[in-house]
Amino acid sequence: MNNKVKRNISPYIALLFIIIVMYLLTGGNSNINKLSYSDFQKSLKNDEVKTVVVSPNQKGSTYEITGKMKDYKKNESYYVVAPLSDETLSYITKMNDKNKFKLTVSADPASNVFVEFIVNVLPYIIIGGVLIWFFNKQITSNNKSLEFGKSKAKLQDDKNKVTFKDVAGLSEEKEELEELIGFLKDPKKYTKMGARIPKGVLLVGSPGTGKTLLAKAVAGEANAPFYFISGSDFVELYVGIGASRVRDMFRQAKQTAPCLIFIDEIDAVGRQRGTGLGGGHDEREQTLNQLLTEMDGFGRNEGIIIIAATNRPDVLDPALLRPGRFDRQITVSLPDAKGREEILEVHSRDKIFAPDISFKYIAKRTVGFSGADLENLLNEAALLAVRRNKNEITMSELDEAYDRVIAGPAKKSHKYTEHEKKVVAYHEAGHAVVGIKLDGANDVQKITIVPRGVAGGYNLMLPKEETYMSTKKELLETISGLLGGRVSEELVFNEMTTGAHNDFEKATKIARSMVTEYGMSSLGPVQLEHQESSVFLGRDYNKSRNFSDAIALQIDEEVRKIINEQYEVTKKILSENRDLLDLIANALIEHETLTKEQIDYLVENGHMMNEEKNETFKELKEEAKELEIKGYSKMNKEELEKEIKKVKEENE
C-alpha cells in the first residue's frame, strides 16, 4: 500500500478505533436495572447480592447504590436510590456481616462527580473532538486539491543573488540584456520616449552555456523579483491544470511588477501544435494557448518581462516567436578562448592553485568546452588533488581531469599484449604525423596509449586556430588526419584492426556533409539534404531527401571518392615520413604519453627531451620560476626564451 492510500484511509481507521474504545469504556451493551430501595433490601435478605457500591450523589441528599446480583449477566447491573441516613449504611453493613458480599462505601461526593464525568461526559467530548479533527482533515484535503492549479513558480531568495560579475565569457549577450535591466530599474525612461520593451526574450544555446545563469544575473542586476519555473511544471495529466498554473503565475507576477519570469526548458510546453504522427496533447496545447494569451494580453509596459531558455528553438510553436511575445532571441554560444579563460577565472575563486598554473594555456586546450564543462574540469582537478593529499591544484591534476572529462578515467589495470601495444602506438603516431605535415589538419596536443573509457588510446587533436568556417582544403586534410591511424596499421603491420571505427565515422560524416550540404563536390553547389523541424518524428525521418535514386547513387560515389582520395594522400605522407612515424611510435611505446612539447622536440631533434642533460633548458626553467612566469613548466625552450626576454624588457 503506497503512502497516498495510507493517508486517505488513516482518518477512518482512527475514527473506528475511537468508537471501539468508547464502546468499551461505556460498557458496550450494558443493561442497568433500576430497583426500589425495598426491593434492594429484600435481595440483601435473600443473599442475592454479589457487589454493592454506596456513594452520596452530588447534591448530598441521597445515596446512589450500584452493583451486581449473583444471577446477573456480564453486562448487567442494578441502580438504587436510598435515603441518606446512618440507618441505610447500618442496614447494609449488618447484611454484609451476614451474607459476605463485596461492599464499597465512598463518603466523598466529589469522587462520585469525577467518576460520573469520566463515565458519562468524557466519552462524548472525545468523540466530538475526533469528529472535528476528521472534518478539518477533509477541508484541508479539499483545499489542497484546489491548490493543484496554483503556480509552481518560485521566487528567488536574495541569498542566492547572482550578478553579471558571476557571468563570464558572454560579453555580447550581456550587452543585449542591458536595456532589460534599465527598464526594470527605470521604466519611465523608456515609456517617455514611446519605446516598447520586449515582452519576451528567448535564450537559445547548447546545454551548459549559461542561459539560466544569465537570466538570474539580469534579475540580480536589476534588483527585481525573479520567478523561475521549468516548462515541465506546467504539464499535468489532468486537462486544464497547466493553463490554470499559467494564469496564477501571471497573477502573482502582476502583484510584484516590475519583475522577471524565467521559464527554463520552454520546449517542454511550447512545442508546435498539431504536429507529429500521433497528434497533439490536449493538456500541453491548452497550456501553450494560455501562455500565448497571457503574453499577448498584457497592458502596455506593465513591467513583466519573460525570459525563456531552450536548446531546441526549432521545435517551438511559431506563435511563440512572433513580435509581441518572444520577439527577441539571444543566441548563447560556446565561449571562445578569451571567454573560456574568463570562465576559468570565475570558477577558480574558491580553489587553491599552484603559482605556475596558466588559465590561458588551459583555455587554448579546451576548444568546444561550455561553461558547465569548464566548471566540471576544475572540480575534477580539485577532487584529484584531495585524493592525492595535495595542498594545491597543480598542472598534473588539471591534465588528468581534462583526460577524464573527454575520455573517462584511465584503466591502469588493463594490460596490453606487446603486439597490441605496438599496434595502438603506431595507430596514434599515424594521426600525429599527418597532423604535423598537413597545415589544414588538426594540431596534435597530446598522444597516449593508456586505455580510457572504451578507447584503447586517444590522440588529442585541436584546430590550429579557432575559426567560424572551414575551407574545402581544411576539411579534406581533417579527413586525412582521421585516416592516419588505419593507414599506419596497414603500412607497418599489413593488417587492419577495429581501432579506426570512430575515425571512419567522423571522416564519413564530414565527406557526406561536403557533398550534400556544402556543395563541395562535382554534383555542384546544391543542398541535397538538410535537417528538418519534424518535432515528433524519429531520427530516421529527420533528414529531408530532395533527390532521386540516381542522385543518391552519385552521392555515395562522391563520398567514397573523397575518402579514397584522402586515403591515398595519407598513405603517401606516412610512406615519405616513415622515420618520423617510427620515432613517435617508439617514444609512445616507451613513455605511453607524449605532450605537444615532447612531440615538437622529437620532430626537431630526432630524440626525446632529456632535461638532466640539457642544462640550458633546466636553467631557463629556474629563471622562469624566479620571474614568476605562469605556465612555464609547459613551455618549450624557444617559448621560455621569448617569455623571459619579454618579462625582462617590461621590468626594465
Side-chain angles (χ1 to χ4, degrees):
M1 186 182 294
N2 58 38
N3 292 333
K4 188 174 181 180
V5 174
K6 287 181 179 178
R7 286 196 297 268
N8 288 339
I9 67 171
S10 58
Y12 300 98
I13 295 174
L15 183 60
L16 179 62
F17 176 76
I18 295 297
I19 291 173
I20 293 172
V21 170
M22 292 301 100
Y23 176 83
L24 296 175
L25 286 175
T26 55
N29 294 325
S30 58
N31 185 14
I32 301 175
N33 299 316
K34 291 186 177 181
L35 303 178
S36 63
Y37 182 59
S38 59
D39 291 337
F40 174 67
Q41 289 178 320
K42 290 179 181 178
S43 298
L44 287 175
K45 288 180 181 179
N46 298 330
D47 193 17
E48 296 173 353
V49 179
K50 184 178 180 181
T51 61
V52 176
V53 177
V54 181
S55 59
N57 66 0
Q58 188 175 2
K59 296 180 180 180
S61 58
T62 58
Y63 280 121
E64 292 182 350
I65 303 173
T66 59
K68 288 181 174 294
M69 301 293 181
K70 291 181 178 180
D71 58 348
Y72 277 6
K73 296 178 181 178
K74 184 177 181 181
N75 295 327
E76 195 174 4
S77 62
Y78 64 83
Y79 174 79
V80 179
V81 177
L84 185 66
S85 64
D86 293 338
E87 292 181 1
T88 302
L89 287 177
S90 175
Y91 180 78
I92 294 173
T93 304
K94 179 179 176 183
M95 297 307 299
N96 183 37
D97 293 338
K98 179 180 179 183
N99 298 326
K100 302 298 183 184
F101 50 83
K102 186 177 180 181
L103 175 62
T104 304
V105 178
S106 175
D108 185 8
S111 64
N112 184 42
V113 173
F114 179 74
V115 172
E116 186 176 343
F117 174 79
I118 291 293
V119 174
N120 298 324
V121 180
L122 185 60
Y124 298 102
I125 294 176
I126 294 175
I127 292 173
V130 170
L131 291 173
I132 292 171
W133 171 81
F134 176 75
F135 286 118
N136 285 337
K137 188 81 174 176
Q138 294 300 313
I139 292 171
T140 304
S141 177
N142 291 334
N143 288 337
K144 285 184 177 179
S145 64
L146 292 174
E147 291 177 0
F148 197 57
K150 295 284 187 180
S151 170
K152 289 189 176 182
K154 297 178 181 177
L155 187 63
Q156 184 186 18
D157 192 352
D158 289 339
K159 295 179 181 178
N160 300 321
K161 194 174 181 179
V162 178
T163 63
F164 278 164
K165 292 180 180 179
D166 304 305
V167 182
L170 298 173
S171 302
E172 293 80 8
E173 290 82 354
K174 286 190 281 189
E175 287 179 8
E176 284 290 314
L177 294 167
E178 283 288 349
E179 60 190 30
L180 298 184
I181 297 170
F183 173 77
L184 290 168
K185 286 183 175 179
D186 186 12
K188 293 182 180 179
K189 178 181 177 182
Y190 292 84
T191 55
K192 182 180 179 181
M193 191 61 65
R196 180 183 63 81
I197 206 71
K199 294 180 181 178
V201 177
L202 184 65
L203 302 178
V204 179
S206 303
T209 49
K211 300 184 292 295
T212 304
L213 188 65
L214 198 58
K216 289 182 179 179
V218 172
E221 288 288 334
N223 197 25
F226 179 72
Y227 295 91
F228 59 94
I229 189 171
S230 172
S232 60
D233 287 334
F234 291 112
V235 183
E236 290 287 351
L237 174 65
Y238 306 105
V239 177
I241 294 298
S244 174
R245 288 177 179 172
V246 171
R247 288 191 295 270
D248 189 63
M249 178 179 70
F250 281 95
R251 181 187 59 79
Q252 292 180 26
K254 287 175 183 177
Q255 293 174 356
T256 57
C259 66
L260 278 169
I261 296 176
F262 177 62
I263 305 176
D264 199 8
E265 305 297 344
I266 194 173
D267 51 279
V269 70
R271 289 178 175 242
Q272 294 178 21
R273 293 166 290 180
T275 55
L277 296 175
H281 185 285
D282 287 340
E283 163 60 4
R284 183 185 57 76
E285 290 193 2
Q286 283 199 21
T287 306
L288 175 57
N289 292 336
Q290 186 64 45
L291 181 61
L292 296 173
T293 303
E294 291 288 343
M295 290 188 69
D296 201 29
F298 287 164
R300 185 168 181 172
N301 292 320
E302 283 195 18
I304 301 175
I305 299 175
I306 301 176
I307 300 180
T310 181
N311 52 18
R312 293 291 310 277
D314 56 308
V315 307
L316 295 179
D317 194 282
L320 266 178
L321 306 179
R322 75 157 176 82
R325 288 172 181 153
F326 286 107
D327 43 12
R328 177 176 293 185
Q329 289 190 34
I330 299 176
T331 301
V332 185
S333 307
L334 291 171
D336 56 11
K338 183 181 178 182
R340 291 194 296 273
E341 186 178 354
E342 293 174 358
I343 291 170
L344 288 168
E345 292 284 355
V346 169
H347 291 303
S348 65
R349 291 173 183 170
D350 58 344
K351 296 178 176 61
I352 303 171
F353 288 92
D356 67 330
I357 294 297
S358 171
F359 290 124
K360 186 175 182 180
Y361 169 75
I362 299 170
K364 288 182 179 179
R365 286 186 58 185
T366 51
V367 178
F369 274 44
S370 66
D373 294 329
L374 294 170
E375 191 277 333
N376 185 44
L377 173 67
L378 296 186
N379 186 62
E380 285 289 339
L383 292 173
L384 284 169
V386 174
R387 189 182 302 173
R388 295 173 180 178
N389 296 319
K390 291 188 176 181
N391 296 323
E392 58 186 12
I393 302 169
T394 65
M395 203 66 204
S396 173
E397 283 74 46
L398 285 167
D399 279 338
E400 176 63 21
Y402 182 86
D403 293 339
R404 290 170 71 91
V405 169
I406 65 173
K411 296 183 178 179
K412 298 178 181 178
S413 60
H414 181 77
K415 299 295 181 183
Y416 282 127
T417 64
E418 289 300 320
H419 179 69
E420 282 180 327
K421 189 173 184 179
K422 194 173 182 181
V423 170
V424 174
Y426 270 96
H427 179 101
E428 302 301 340
H431 290 304
V433 171
V434 178
I436 292 167
K437 295 300 178 182
L438 290 179
D439 293 333
N442 288 339
D443 201 11
V444 180
Q445 299 290 325
K446 183 177 183 179
I447 316 173
T448 180
I449 58 174
V450 177
R452 286 183 179 272
V454 296
Y458 83 93
N459 198 319
L460 177 59
M461 302 176 72
L462 300 175
K464 292 180 174 65
E465 292 182 0
E466 289 187 57
T467 58
Y468 290 96
M469 64 180 68
S470 299
T471 64
K472 181 179 179 180
K473 180 176 179 289
E474 289 172 343
L475 292 173
L476 291 174
E477 292 185 351
T478 300
I479 292 174
S480 293
L482 291 167
L483 298 174
R486 167 56 67 83
V487 174
S488 178
E489 293 172 9
E490 283 194 30
L491 188 64
V492 177
F493 303 101
N494 196 28
E495 64 180 4
M496 303 177 185
T497 70
T498 59
H501 74 282
N502 187 247
D503 300 330
F504 292 155
E505 180 183 348
K506 294 177 181 177
T508 305
K509 185 177 180 181
I510 294 172
R512 189 170 186 87
S513 296
M514 289 175 66
V515 176
T516 62
E517 296 181 43
Y518 308 147
M520 296 179 177
S521 71
S522 61
L523 293 179
V526 180
Q527 189 180 54
L528 300 168
E529 291 180 349
H530 65 276
Q531 296 290 332
E532 270 200 344
S533 302
S534 301
V535 184
F536 299 103
L537 299 180
R539 290 178 181 269
D540 295 339
Y541 297 93
N542 266 354
K543 279 197 174 182
S544 174
R545 174 174 168 167
N546 299 324
F547 49 82
S548 64
D549 291 339
I551 297 296
L553 177 61
Q554 293 182 44
I555 290 172
D556 293 339
E557 289 175 349
E558 285 293 322
V559 171
R560 191 178 297 109
K561 179 183 175 182
I562 291 172
I563 297 292
N564 289 338
E565 286 178 355
Q566 294 312 116
Y567 197 88
E568 293 302 319
V569 170
T570 306
K571 185 179 288 188
K572 182 180 178 182
I573 292 170
L574 293 181
S575 299
E576 293 174 352
N577 296 276
R578 177 62 189 268
D579 292 341
L580 180 59
L581 178 67
D582 293 335
L583 182 65
I584 295 176
N586 291 328
L588 270 174
I589 293 171
E590 181 181 354
H591 298 281
E592 293 191 336
T593 300
L594 297 178
T595 63
K596 184 180 187 303
E597 292 75 21
Q598 291 172 320
I599 296 168
D600 292 342
Y601 191 89
L602 265 175
V603 175
E604 184 179 346
N605 300 284
H607 59 82
M608 283 291 290
M609 189 187 331
N610 192 334
E611 292 187 28
E612 297 299 328
K613 294 180 181 179
N614 194 341
E615 294 297 331
T616 305
F617 189 69
K618 196 173 181 181
E619 290 172 4
L620 286 172
K621 281 197 169 185
E622 291 294 331
E623 189 175 359
K625 186 177 181 181
E626 291 176 2
L627 293 172
E628 297 182 351
I629 297 174
K630 289 187 176 182
Y632 71 87
S633 61
K634 292 293 179 181
M635 295 180 185
N636 57 32
K637 185 178 177 182
E638 289 75 15
E639 290 173 335
L640 274 175
E641 288 175 343
K642 289 180 182 178
E643 285 295 324
I644 290 171
K645 184 179 178 181
K646 181 181 177 182
V647 172
K648 285 182 176 179
E649 288 176 353
E650 290 176 353
N651 291 338
E652 289 175 359

